[in-house]
Amino acid sequence: MRLFKVAYPLLFVLALLSLTLASADNQPKPSAKPTPTPKPPPVSSCKGEVLCCLSLEAPIERSVSLLLGLLGIKLTSEQEGEQCGLTCTTLSKRGLGDECFEKSVCCDKSYDAGIIAIGCKEVSV
């Protein structure tokens, strides 16, 4: 009887352990080579403002659409398909030369001292 009290919990733990190990072997294997992300176009291709933005978001994001509405900014159909930059500064105002540690972007226009910029595309500086 004493052997049964010790053996039964031990068998239960071993069964759970074997199920856990068996399910770990069924995980999908990563691909051999990750697909490289394409490099953004150079800053020389920018026809608008070159900015450094904390983040880039789609205009359909709730926070972006709310901010656009509060500022009374209307987007063109082309700008609706592009990104909006949030918390942006011009590269020359940063005091760091051409360095941008967030997102270097080319935007059609920025509003309210860089709170939001519209029609943005990433560029490499």
Side-chain angles (χ1 to χ4, degrees):
M1 180 76 170
R2 185 170 183 194
L3 180 64
F4 180 72
K5 285 184 180 179
V6 173
Y8 185 76
L10 185 61
L11 287 173
F12 181 74
V13 169
L14 287 174
L16 283 177
L17 184 61
S18 67
L19 285 174
T20 303
L21 291 175
S23 66
D25 289 339
N26 292 332
Q27 299 298 322
K29 304 290 187 234
S31 64
K33 291 183 182 178
T35 306
T37 55
K39 188 174 182 180
V43 72
S44 60
S45 66
C46 180
K47 292 182 179 24
E49 298 178 73
V50 179
L51 302 171
C52 184
C53 297
L54 188 60
S55 67
L56 282 176
E57 305 289 336
I60 59 170
E61 294 291 327
R62 179 176 283 195
S63 59
V64 176
S65 63
L66 178 65
L67 190 56
L68 289 169
L70 288 171
L71 295 173
I73 300 169
K74 303 285 185 203
L75 299 180
T76 65
S77 58
E78 184 179 320
Q79 290 168 336
E80 287 175 356
E82 297 174 342
Q83 301 287 309
C84 291
L86 299 175
T87 316
C88 304
T89 58
T90 59
L91 290 175
S92 61
K93 289 183 182 177
R94 295 176 56 83
L96 299 172
D98 285 344
E99 289 184 299
C100 177
F101 297 105
E102 291 88 21
K103 301 274 186 191
S104 300
V105 294
C106 176
C107 301
D108 293 341
K109 188 170 183 177
S110 63
Y111 293 90
D112 288 317
I115 291 175
I116 192 165
I118 59 171
C120 298
K121 297 176 185 116
E122 267 192 85
V123 292
S124 60
V125 177

